[in-house]
């Protein structure tokens, strides 16, 4: 009798745990317990995204190139970006988070391949609005120390910069000339990144 009760109790706990996990995944029930509130949008971010919602009627799609259940396996760091994106989707109707497995459906990303200057991997993130898009490698969402170790997460900043640049009424453009003795290398790349982050 005691063995039967124990087995039934353990089975009930497993079923209950599975059901709660499934509901939490579906309805995004989670509490951000990270030290820096990594998965929670800052007040500044909310103010910027609310302004976009008022000033623009454009939809924004954030594409992840793997199925939702494989995001952490593709990269634990990608999971940070995914959670930030889900937080944005939860707060704002014009933002949609979609997962399309690039291995199963490579044709979906063909339009991005055509004009992107970089390859698309299972850890890539594409932010799209209308005809505009920004393609990010997972490394661009983090700031590294000189030894290559990760120092800080900047996913919120990168995603919002992309959204602001694509939904703005005027699209500022910067052109860099080459083959005329211009500086190349890390200094030049950092300068270009500065403009990209500012929405140019």
């Amino acid at each position: 009798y005691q063995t039967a009760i124990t087995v039934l109790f353990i089975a009930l706990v497993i079923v209950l745990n599975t059901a709660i996990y499934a509901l939490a995944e579906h309805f995004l029930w989670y509490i951000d317990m990270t030290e820096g509130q990594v998965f929670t949008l800052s007040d500044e971010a909310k103010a910027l995204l609310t302004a976009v919602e008022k000033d623009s009627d454009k939809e924004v799609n954030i594409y992840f190139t793997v199925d939702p259940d494989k995001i952490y396996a593709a990269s634990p760091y990608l999971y940070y970006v995914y959670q930030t994106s889900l937080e944005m989707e939860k707060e704002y109707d014009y933002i949609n988070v979609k997962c399309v497995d690039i291995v199963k459906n490579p044709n979906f990303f063909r339009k991005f391949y055509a004009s992107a200057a970089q390859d698309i991997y299972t850890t890539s993130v594409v932010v799209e609005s209308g005809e505009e898009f920004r393609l990010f490698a997972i490394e661009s969402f983090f700031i590294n120390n000189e030894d290559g170790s990760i120092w800080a997460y900047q996913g919120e900043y990168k995603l919002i910069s992309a959204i602001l640049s694509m939904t703005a009424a005027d699209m500022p453009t910067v052109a860099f000339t080459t083959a005329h003795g211009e500086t190349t290398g890390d200094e030049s790349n950092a300068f270009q990144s500065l403009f990209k982050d500012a929405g140019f």
Side-chain angles (χ1 to χ4, degrees), residues 29-66:
W29 295 342
Y30 66 89
I31 298 171
D32 188 354
M33 297 179 71
T34 56
E35 186 177 342
Q37 295 292 289
V38 172
F39 299 143
T40 303
L41 291 178
S42 64
D43 292 336
E44 295 83 358
K46 289 180 180 178
L48 290 168
L49 292 173
T50 299
V52 170
E53 190 172 39
K54 290 178 181 176
D55 298 338
S56 176
D57 58 353
K58 293 181 179 178
E59 290 282 312
V60 174
N61 297 313
I62 302 174
Y63 294 108
F64 290 84
T65 55
V66 288

Side-chain angles (χ1 to χ4, degrees), residues 162-174:
I163 291 170
L164 290 174
S165 68
M166 291 185 296
T167 56
D170 296 318
M171 296 295 295
T173 303
V174 172

Side-chain angles (χ1 to χ4, degrees), residues 116-184:
Q118 63 193 82
D119 292 328
I120 303 177
Y121 302 100
T122 54
T123 54
S124 298
V125 179
V126 179
V127 183
E128 175 197 46
S129 182
E131 297 299 314
E132 295 283 330
F133 76 92
R134 302 290 183 270
L135 172 61
F136 294 101
I138 187 61
E139 295 81 13
S140 62
F141 293 103
F142 296 88
I143 300 171
N144 292 334
N145 289 312
E146 290 182 6
D147 64 358
S149 61
I150 290 176
W151 177 68
Y153 173 62
Q154 61 174 358
E156 180 182 279
Y157 170 72
K158 284 287 188 177
L159 291 169
I160 291 175
S161 293
I163 291 170
L164 290 174
S165 68
M166 291 185 296
T167 56
D170 296 318
M171 296 295 295
T173 303
V174 172
F176 289 87
T177 59
T178 58
H180 300 282
E182 294 86 354
T183 302
T184 59

Side-chain angles (χ1 to χ4, degrees), residues 12-32:
L12 181 64
V13 168
I14 291 171
V15 169
L16 189 61
N17 190 32
T18 304
I20 290 173
Y21 178 80
L23 289 170
E25 284 274 299
H26 186 266
F27 293 107
L28 302 180
W29 295 342
Y30 66 89
I31 298 171
D32 188 354

